[in-house]
Amino acid sequence: MLPLLHHLGVVAFGSVRPTATRIARTALGGAIAAVFGLTAYVALLLALGFYLTGLVGPVVSALLVAALTAACGLLVLVIVQSMNRRTERRMEARRRAAKARLPDPVMLQLLADMTGMLKGRSILTVIAVAAAAYGLAKSQGVGLDDDRTP
Protein backbone atom coordinates (compact mmCIF):
# COMPACT_ATOMS: atom_id res chain seq x y z
CA MET A 1 0.00 0.00 0.00
CA LEU A 2 2.86 2.39 0.80
CA PRO A 3 4.48 2.04 -2.65
CA LEU A 4 1.11 2.81 -4.24
CA LEU A 5 0.78 5.99 -2.17
CA HIS A 6 4.36 6.90 -3.04
CA HIS A 7 3.67 6.52 -6.75
CA LEU A 8 0.43 8.49 -6.46
CA GLY A 9 2.34 11.28 -4.68
CA VAL A 10 4.95 11.36 -7.43
CA VAL A 11 2.23 11.51 -10.07
CA ALA A 12 0.27 14.21 -8.24
CA PHE A 13 3.13 16.33 -6.91
CA GLY A 14 6.05 15.28 -9.06
CA SER A 15 6.13 18.55 -10.99
CA VAL A 16 6.37 20.76 -7.89
CA ARG A 17 10.18 20.76 -7.63
CA PRO A 18 10.84 21.37 -11.35
CA THR A 19 8.25 24.15 -11.33
CA ALA A 20 9.86 25.82 -8.32
CA THR A 21 13.28 25.51 -9.92
CA ARG A 22 11.97 26.97 -13.18
CA ILE A 23 10.36 29.90 -11.33
CA ALA A 24 13.59 30.58 -9.42
CA ARG A 25 15.64 30.52 -12.64
CA THR A 26 13.15 32.77 -14.39
CA ALA A 27 13.22 35.26 -11.50
CA LEU A 28 17.03 35.30 -11.44
CA GLY A 29 17.22 35.69 -15.21
CA GLY A 30 14.65 38.47 -15.10
CA ALA A 31 16.61 40.31 -12.40
CA ILE A 32 19.84 40.08 -14.40
CA ALA A 33 18.05 41.20 -17.58
CA ALA A 34 16.53 44.13 -15.65
CA VAL A 35 19.99 45.25 -14.48
CA PHE A 36 21.32 45.12 -18.05
CA GLY A 37 18.22 46.91 -19.35
CA LEU A 38 18.56 49.70 -16.78
CA THR A 39 22.26 50.04 -17.62
CA ALA A 40 21.41 50.37 -21.31
CA TYR A 41 18.71 52.92 -20.50
CA VAL A 42 21.10 55.07 -18.46
CA ALA A 43 23.73 54.83 -21.21
CA LEU A 44 21.12 55.90 -23.77
CA LEU A 45 20.11 58.90 -21.66
CA LEU A 46 23.75 59.90 -21.19
CA ALA A 47 24.44 59.58 -24.92
CA LEU A 48 21.36 61.67 -25.69
CA GLY A 49 22.47 64.27 -23.15
CA PHE A 50 26.00 64.44 -24.58
CA TYR A 51 24.65 64.76 -28.12
CA LEU A 52 22.20 67.50 -27.19
CA THR A 53 24.89 69.34 -25.19
CA GLY A 54 26.81 69.93 -28.41
CA LEU A 55 23.70 71.32 -30.09
CA VAL A 56 21.86 73.39 -27.45
CA GLY A 57 24.10 73.58 -24.38
CA PRO A 58 24.29 71.59 -21.13
CA VAL A 59 21.37 73.18 -19.24
CA VAL A 60 18.85 72.91 -22.06
CA SER A 61 20.13 69.40 -22.81
CA ALA A 62 19.52 68.28 -19.23
CA LEU A 63 16.06 69.87 -19.28
CA LEU A 64 15.15 68.13 -22.55
CA VAL A 65 16.28 64.72 -21.28
CA ALA A 66 14.34 65.25 -18.02
CA ALA A 67 11.22 66.33 -19.92
CA LEU A 68 11.47 63.31 -22.24
CA THR A 69 11.84 60.95 -19.28
CA ALA A 70 8.93 62.58 -17.42
CA ALA A 71 6.73 62.34 -20.52
CA CYS A 72 7.54 58.62 -20.87
CA GLY A 73 6.71 58.10 -17.19
CA LEU A 74 3.39 59.90 -17.54
CA LEU A 75 2.56 57.83 -20.63
CA VAL A 76 3.19 54.63 -18.68
CA LEU A 77 0.98 55.87 -15.83
CA VAL A 78 -1.86 56.71 -18.23
CA ILE A 79 -1.63 53.28 -19.87
CA VAL A 80 -1.61 51.48 -16.52
CA GLN A 81 -4.60 53.50 -15.27
CA SER A 82 -6.61 52.69 -18.39
CA MET A 83 -5.76 48.99 -18.03
CA ASN A 84 -6.84 49.11 -14.36
CA ARG A 85 -10.14 50.78 -15.26
CA ARG A 86 -10.81 48.19 -17.95
CA THR A 87 -10.05 45.36 -15.50
CA GLU A 88 -12.31 46.94 -12.87
CA ARG A 89 -15.16 47.19 -15.38
CA ARG A 90 -14.71 43.53 -16.31
CA MET A 91 -14.75 42.50 -12.64
CA GLU A 92 -17.88 44.57 -12.02
CA ALA A 93 -19.60 42.91 -14.98
CA ARG A 94 -18.65 39.50 -13.59
CA ARG A 95 -20.01 40.48 -10.17
CA ARG A 96 -23.30 41.61 -11.70
CA ALA A 97 -23.56 38.38 -13.73
CA ALA A 98 -22.85 36.28 -10.63
CA LYS A 99 -25.42 38.25 -8.63
CA ALA A 100 -28.01 37.69 -11.35
CA ARG A 101 -27.47 33.94 -11.06
CA LEU A 102 -28.17 33.93 -7.31
CA PRO A 103 -31.49 32.59 -6.11
CA ASP A 104 -34.17 35.00 -4.95
CA PRO A 105 -33.83 36.69 -1.52
CA VAL A 106 -36.50 34.51 0.10
CA MET A 107 -34.57 31.37 -0.81
CA LEU A 108 -31.34 32.92 0.47
CA GLN A 109 -33.03 33.69 3.79
CA LEU A 110 -34.31 30.12 4.04
CA LEU A 111 -30.83 28.79 3.38
CA ALA A 112 -29.40 31.14 6.03
CA ASP A 113 -31.97 29.95 8.58
CA MET A 114 -31.12 26.33 7.81
CA THR A 115 -28.19 26.27 10.27
CA GLY A 116 -30.49 27.09 13.17
CA MET A 117 -32.82 24.29 12.18
CA LEU A 118 -29.99 21.78 11.99
CA LYS A 119 -29.53 22.06 15.76
CA GLY A 120 -33.19 21.28 16.42
CA ARG A 121 -35.47 18.43 15.42
CA SER A 122 -34.16 16.02 12.82
CA ILE A 123 -37.47 15.33 11.01
CA LEU A 124 -38.17 19.04 10.67
CA THR A 125 -34.61 19.55 9.43
CA VAL A 126 -34.96 16.88 6.75
CA ILE A 127 -38.25 18.39 5.57
CA ALA A 128 -36.78 21.90 5.55
CA VAL A 129 -33.67 20.81 3.65
CA ALA A 130 -35.79 18.96 1.09
CA ALA A 131 -38.07 21.98 0.65
CA ALA A 132 -35.10 24.32 0.30
CA ALA A 133 -33.45 22.04 -2.26
CA TYR A 134 -36.70 21.79 -4.21
CA GLY A 135 -37.23 25.55 -4.12
CA LEU A 136 -33.64 26.24 -5.12
CA ALA A 137 -33.87 23.79 -8.01
CA LYS A 138 -37.14 25.31 -9.20
CA SER A 139 -35.77 28.85 -8.95
CA GLN A 140 -32.85 27.79 -11.15
CA GLY A 141 -35.22 26.42 -13.77
CA VAL A 142 -34.78 22.70 -13.14
CA GLY A 143 -37.69 20.63 -14.41
CA LEU A 144 -39.10 23.23 -16.77
CA ASP A 145 -39.54 21.22 -19.93
CA ASP A 146 -42.00 22.71 -22.43
CA ASP A 147 -41.84 19.97 -25.07
CA ARG A 148 -43.21 17.14 -22.92
CA THR A 149 -45.38 14.56 -24.64
CA PRO A 150 -48.44 13.32 -22.68
Side-chain angles (χ1 to χ4, degrees), residues 26-137:
T26 303
L28 181 62
I32 292 171
V35 167
F36 284 132
L38 287 174
T39 303
Y41 176 70
V42 169
L44 177 69
L45 288 179
L46 284 173
L48 180 64
F50 289 146
Y51 175 74
L52 290 176
T53 298
L55 297 176
V56 293
V59 174
V60 176
S61 171
L63 289 174
L64 284 175
V65 170
L68 178 68
T69 306
C72 288
L74 287 174
L75 179 66
V76 168
L77 286 177
V78 166
I79 290 171
V80 168
Q81 286 296 327
S82 70
M83 290 171 68
N84 285 343
R85 278 194 302 272
R86 188 174 33 208
T87 302
E88 184 62 35
R89 277 185 260 144
R90 259 189 264 135
M91 290 301 294
E92 184 61 32
R94 286 182 188 151
R95 269 186 245 136
R96 282 193 305 264
K99 189 176 181 181
R101 288 190 303 261
L102 283 176
D104 61 346
V106 173
M107 184 56 63
L108 286 176
Q109 185 62 39
L110 282 173
L111 291 174
D113 291 340
M114 201 64 61
T115 57
M117 288 184 196
L118 289 175
K119 295 177 186 174
R121 298 165 213 77
S122 61
I123 298 291
L124 180 62
T125 302
V126 170
I127 293 171
V129 168
Y134 178 78
L136 184 62

